[in-house]
Amino acid sequence: PRIFFFFFFFFFAFFFALMAKRPLSEVAGALVVSGQDKRAVASLVPVGLERTSELMAPTVLLRGHDGEVFTTKFSPDGNTIASAGFDKRVFLWSVFGECQNFAVLLGHSNAILELHWSTDGSQLYSCSPDKTVQVWDVESLTRQKKIKAHDSYVNTCCPSRRGTPLLASGGDDGLSKVWDLRQARQPAHTLAGQSPITAVAFSDQAHQLFACDVAGQVEVWDLRRGEVQYRLQGHMDVITGCSVSPDGTYLLTNSMDNTLRCWDVQPFVKGGDASRCLKTFSGHAHGVDKNLLKCAWSPTQEYVTAGSSDAPTHVHCWDFNTRRIKYKLPGHKAAVNEAAFHPTQPIVVSCSSDSTMYLGELGTPAINQ
């Protein structure tokens, strides 16, 4: 009996010593919780996977918001995530390391529906049904401007990519407004649409503004002339999000008709404006919650993604060329309101009405199914 006792003692001692020396990413089913707030981040680490990014794990679960998370974006340098939602707060998270929530910005008096980073990453822009658009300084973590933008809910906002620092906003009052952030007391342009505005985006050079509405059309405004240049028609229901491609040649729109469409927005198109719709992507769904589900491009334009409320809920990523779903990422338990690609690594971040966010590493077989 003593021999067996010592045998089992040394066996278990050796086993636990071996486990202690193994990297955490090799321990099957390890649940990692870090940060002072234990809700801040939890990471599930499957065993034996070939890694494709610098994330602490192939899948990272971020917790901290008290309510639906409507919007999330990577910073231009890829080191920080901003997120916001029903709890009226903007959260800032570290992408690498333990993915800690290191700052919370307060200022809105209603839910935050959309946020964006400035091109240089020094500022954040957010909009809300509290009828304001707000500008935040990321370094000092303070609010720089509070713009009383509309007489009704502000559903969307978007900054210009280059040139004069402009910010566009759109609201339930049917107006799209363009603000020169050097002044911002009065809008530089006020553009009256035909229906409530649900999504806006500048063209690459900020000479045009794409204004999407509840009727399912996109009005393309020439900002130099202050008039509608043409309209993009094809969606059969509310457009919930839009995004201009990195090279500026395409516009992506997501709609409650359960399609994601790609439009050619170059100045001249063969066949005229009726030929601008190039591709239609399907497979995702909008639910009864009627949230404004966003859409996005990967930095190389190889993939596109869009929010979805299918059951069970997934993050959908399509191959742009083939229009086939390349990745269908599980995890969320309610509508995925937005997903975004990392600027340099194969990582997707998603936010959901289940109050959580996920960081997912693309190209990992056991994760991407």
Side-chain angles (χ1 to χ4, degrees), residues 73-82 91-96 102 117 124 138 342-343:
K73 299 285 194 307
F74 285 106
S75 61
D77 64 8
N79 293 325
T80 306
I81 297 169
F91 278 43
L92 297 180
W93 311 78
S94 298
V95 174
F96 303 109
F102 64 87
W117 293 84
L124 277 168
V138 176
H342 191 275

Side-chain angles (χ1 to χ4, degrees), residues 82-123:
S83 62
F86 185 78
D87 59 10
K88 313 171 192 176
R89 299 181 291 176
V90 177
F91 278 43
L92 297 180
W93 311 78
S94 298
V95 174
F96 303 109
E98 295 186 349
C99 303
Q100 291 189 347
N101 167 221
F102 64 87
V104 178
L105 307 178
L106 302 174
H108 281 289
S109 60
N110 206 330
I112 299 171
L113 299 183
E114 188 167 11
L115 60 72
H116 288 271
W117 293 84
S118 62
T119 304
D120 61 5
S122 65
Q123 293 180 320

Side-chain angles (χ1 to χ4, degrees), residues 90 108 112 114-115 124-128 132-134 136 157:
V90 177
H108 281 289
I112 299 171
E114 188 167 11
L115 60 72
L124 277 168
Y125 312 109
S126 58
C127 66
S128 168
T132 71
V133 175
Q134 301 193 17
W136 308 86
C157 66

Side-chain angles (χ1 to χ4, degrees), residues 12-316:
F12 283 111
F14 174 77
F15 175 78
F16 284 116
L18 179 64
M19 291 293 288
K21 292 180 181 180
R22 292 174 64 187
L24 186 58
S25 60
E26 296 181 9
V27 182
L31 185 63
V32 183
V33 181
S34 63
Q36 293 180 351
D37 180 0
K38 295 303 181 183
R39 299 183 309 160
V41 52
S43 173
L44 184 62
V45 187
V47 66
L49 297 180
E50 182 178 350
R51 300 299 307 282
T52 61
S53 77
E54 296 176 12
L55 282 178
M56 67 179 294
T59 304
V60 180
L61 171 63
L62 305 180
R63 290 176 177 161
H65 281 285
D66 295 321
E68 296 178 85
V69 189
F70 293 130
T71 180
T72 185
K73 299 285 194 307
F74 285 106
S75 61
D77 64 8
N79 293 325
T80 306
I81 297 169
S83 62
F86 185 78
D87 59 10
K88 313 171 192 176
R89 299 181 291 176
V90 177
F91 278 43
L92 297 180
W93 311 78
S94 298
V95 174
F96 303 109
E98 295 186 349
C99 303
Q100 291 189 347
N101 167 221
F102 64 87
V104 178
L105 307 178
L106 302 174
H108 281 289
S109 60
N110 206 330
I112 299 171
L113 299 183
E114 188 167 11
L115 60 72
H116 288 271
W117 293 84
S118 62
T119 304
D120 61 5
S122 65
Q123 293 180 320
L124 277 168
Y125 312 109
S126 58
C127 66
S128 168
D130 65 10
K131 305 178 184 180
T132 71
V133 175
Q134 301 193 17
V135 181
W136 308 86
D137 181 77
V138 176
E139 184 176 356
S140 64
L141 302 176
T142 58
R143 186 175 66 191
Q144 289 186 321
K145 291 183 175 67
K146 180 180 179 181
I147 304 171
K148 295 182 179 179
H150 293 260
D151 294 328
S152 188
Y153 291 175
V154 185
N155 298 315
T156 178
C157 66
C158 185
S160 57
R161 291 180 174 178
R162 62 189 88 250
T164 303
L166 301 176
L167 183 66
S169 62
D172 276 0
D173 55 10
L175 300 178
S176 300
K177 296 186 179 183
V178 177
W179 308 87
D180 186 333
L181 292 176
R182 297 170 300 182
Q183 303 175 22
R185 292 185 177 181
Q186 297 294 327
H189 301 278
T190 299
L191 312 170
Q194 299 177 346
S195 303
I197 305 300
T198 51
V200 293
F202 283 104
S203 63
D204 189 60
Q205 299 294 328
H207 295 154
Q208 296 170 316
L209 182 72
F210 305 105
C212 309
D213 63 27
V214 299
Q217 71 172 352
V218 184
E219 291 187 325
V220 183
W221 290 88
D222 185 329
L223 296 179
R224 291 166 292 189
R225 296 183 178 182
E227 62 185 26
V228 175
Q229 189 172 355
Y230 58 88
R231 291 180 174 87
L232 302 176
Q233 297 176 322
H235 282 299
M236 304 302 292
D237 208 334
V238 179
I239 297 176
T240 60
C242 70
S243 179
V244 174
S245 63
D247 67 3
T249 59
Y250 305 119
L251 178 72
L252 195 65
T253 55
N254 192 22
S255 171
M256 289 184 185
D257 65 8
N258 297 332
T259 65
L260 181 69
R261 292 177 180 254
C262 174
W263 311 82
D264 189 333
V265 292
Q266 297 179 89
F268 303 101
V269 176
K270 184 178 180 180
D273 295 338
S275 303
R276 289 186 179 273
C277 185
L278 300 180
K279 297 183 180 185
T280 300
F281 305 85
S282 60
H284 63 313
H286 288 246
V288 295
D289 45 17
K290 303 294 184 182
N291 285 354
L292 298 179
L293 309 183
K294 314 292 191 301
C295 54
W297 297 83
S298 67
T300 61
Q301 297 184 194
E302 184 179 1
Y303 304 117
V304 294
T305 186
S308 179
S309 188
D310 56 327
T313 308
H314 292 86
V315 177
H316 294 74

